Amino acid sequence: MDSRTVALIRTTFKAVAAEDGGPEQLARSFYALLFTEYPQLRDFFPAALEVQRDRLVKAIGYAVDRLEEPEQLLPFLAQLGRDHRKYGVMAEHYAAVGNSLKSALRAHAGTELWTDEVEQAWDVGLGLISETMIGAAELETTPPVWTGTVVEYREVLCNLVVVRLRLDQPMSYAAGQYVSVQIPARPRMWRYLSPAIPANPQGEIEFHIRSVSGGWVSPAMVGHTAIGDQWLLGAPLGGLGVPRNTRRKMLMVGCGTGIAPLRAQLLAMSQRRSNPKVHLFVGGHHPCDLYDLPTLSELAVANKWLTVVPVTESDDNPWWYYHPERIEPDLPGIAPRETGQIGAVVARGGDWSDCDVQIVGSPSTVQTTKFRLMAAGTPTENIRHDPLL
């Protein structure tokens, strides 16, 4: 794709997104056009589209920003193509989506901005996206979905649980990746979760799930999951992971349940003969949010290459957490807990300019931590996180 085509696509999208309410209005127009012109596609989507609309615009923005970085964009699109098999998506559906998206963009851009050349540029861009996704889906030999039966449900906090499932067949995912999950109580509402353990021949998989206030799916996962429930899982996504035989030091930063993909990587690394030095900062709002410190303590004691630093924004637990018998322990292998915003604590905690960096958490936490590290001298290309979709 030449630079002129990229510039036209990027300029159009950013102009539409910059309007007051632009991203939301663009998504609303897209779905209205799609369901009007192709009503048979409505069944592919959940009844409530709020999350879907937000995710659509973020995904388009992510792709638009990386049109000149095929080494990042194409693997991302290929993963999406393999994942979209779970919907039963066919090649002709991509054309319907592309046509509706172009119509929505044209309506919001206006006749002055939307020229024949702009339309041709979007044809090229959307063609690249659809061809990559379709090609990856057609070449994939793994199942479009896995069925997982809940075999363990453990409440860690009143709003956080650990759920372990046994899959109908093993899934080959890399430690650090994430998968889309659908539960029986929320049909067609897929949510991304990161396995907290590496892939294994037994087909067991574990998720750490926090209930998000006002959310559609996570409160049901936390409050209404029972042993024997059957969940559906899509193909693995994401690019986090520690290559074998690397010598570069690692900095890992995880907040809340964001510890899950980092924990899975550390468990996988513990089975290797040699590893680089790893400095892990694990954060939460309150001390009780550091729920997985005992596991991390065991890993740090057994693996001298691992250093674990706990960080909380407050020294006190919330009012609802009343467990006087659970005094904050001094765990072997765990550094003294620090207090503050995790990005600030990490940035002043050392020189990370020669480290490979992984950040996992909420979008705001990831961005804040990333900017603080960059300001402290860590090169942008050394910092990795999954798309904030």
Side-chain angles (χ1 to χ4, degrees):
M1 191 179 302
D2 61 56
S3 58
R4 174 67 177 173
T5 300
V6 171
L8 289 170
I9 293 173
R10 192 168 289 162
T11 300
T12 312
F13 181 74
K14 292 189 180 299
V16 171
E19 297 176 358
D20 187 26
E24 182 179 357
Q25 291 303 317
L26 174 63
R28 287 182 181 276
S29 297
F30 163 73
Y31 283 111
L33 289 163
L34 181 67
F35 299 152
T36 299
E37 295 295 325
Y38 309 94
Q40 70 275 18
L41 298 188
R42 184 62 181 88
D43 289 341
F44 287 102
F45 297 88
L49 286 170
E50 289 87 350
V51 173
Q52 193 74 26
R53 282 195 292 262
D54 183 57
R55 189 173 292 165
L56 168 75
V57 175
K58 287 182 178 178
I60 297 171
Y62 182 86
V64 166
D65 285 341
R66 286 159 181 79
L67 289 172
E68 294 173 301
E69 303 171 13
E71 70 283 355
Q72 291 191 40
L73 178 60
L74 296 183
F76 170 73
L77 294 174
Q79 286 185 345
L80 280 185
R82 290 188 286 268
D83 178 59
H84 275 51
R85 293 176 302 143
K86 70 192 179 202
Y87 300 117
V89 173
M90 308 296 288
E92 59 267 24
H93 298 146
Y94 286 94
V97 168
N99 291 336
S100 298
L101 180 58
K102 276 201 310 176
S103 296
L105 285 163
R106 185 188 304 114
H108 285 272
T111 55
E112 290 187 9
L113 182 58
W114 192 270
T115 63
D116 289 342
E117 189 182 14
V118 167
E119 178 147 356
Q120 291 170 5
W122 275 96
D123 284 337
V124 172
L126 292 171
L128 171 67
I129 292 172
S130 62
E131 288 168 11
T132 304
M133 293 178 67
I134 292 169
E138 291 177 344
L139 291 174
E140 186 59 37
T141 58
T142 62
V145 293
W146 284 255
T147 299
T149 302
V150 177
V151 296
E152 181 182 353
Y153 172 91
R154 177 164 54 90
E155 184 179 276
V156 178
L157 300 171
C158 69
N159 63 348
L160 194 154
V161 299
V162 172
V163 178
R164 188 177 286 250
L165 303 99
R166 182 170 291 114
L167 303 178
D168 56 346
Q169 55 184 300
M171 177 188 293
S172 180
Y173 60 87
Q177 289 192 297
Y178 57 97
V179 299
S180 54
V181 177
Q182 177 186 272
I183 61 173
R186 297 292 185 268
R188 292 181 291 174
M189 290 187 176
W190 295 83
R191 290 297 180 271
Y192 294 132
L193 298 176
S194 295
I197 59 175
N200 56 81
Q202 294 74 35
E204 290 194 343
I205 195 167
E206 177 180 302
F207 298 117
H208 298 184
I209 308 163
R210 186 186 292 274
S211 177
V212 177
S213 179
W216 283 92
V217 178
S218 61
M221 288 179 166
V222 170
H224 302 288
T225 293
I227 302 297
D229 285 355
Q230 291 196 329
W231 294 9
L232 297 180
L233 289 77
L237 301 158
L240 295 183
V242 180
R244 289 181 177 273
N245 303 319
T246 181
R247 296 181 179 275
R248 285 178 61 84
K249 293 183 291 184
M250 289 290 306
L251 169 64
M252 294 181 168
V253 183
C255 284
T257 55
I259 190 61
L262 304 181
R263 176 192 199 263
Q265 292 178 67
L266 295 173
L267 287 169
M269 292 170 68
S270 69
Q271 303 302 311
R272 302 177 185 175
R273 290 187 176 182
S274 63
N275 286 293
K277 292 285 186 181
V278 178
H279 215 111
L280 169 67
F281 286 81
V282 53
H285 291 291
H286 309 282
C288 66
D289 291 325
L290 305 177
Y291 63 93
D292 209 35
L293 281 185
T295 300
L296 298 176
S297 170
E298 293 178 9
L299 280 168
V301 169
N303 301 281
K304 300 306 179 185
W305 44 264
L306 175 61
T307 300
V308 180
V309 181
V311 181
T312 59
E313 295 183 12
S314 171
D315 289 325
D316 300 317
N317 280 316
W319 63 269
W320 48 261
Y321 185 84
Y322 183 70
H323 294 281
E325 75 281 3
R326 298 185 191 175
I327 300 173
E328 192 173 347
D330 291 325
L331 295 169
I334 304 295
R337 180 173 57 82
E338 299 193 30
T339 305
Q341 198 279 329
I342 192 166
V345 173
V346 172
R348 69 170 182 258
D351 179 8
W352 313 113
S353 58
D354 61 343
C355 292
D356 285 332
V357 182
Q358 293 186 25
I359 311 173
V360 186
S362 68
S364 60
T365 297
V366 171
Q367 293 287 39
T368 300
T369 304
K370 180 178 179 178
F371 291 150
R372 286 187 179 274
L373 286 171
M374 290 165 56
T378 302
T380 308
E381 58 270 20
N382 290 4
I383 302 174
R384 289 190 292 153
H385 56 82
D386 281 319
L388 304 178
L389 308 182

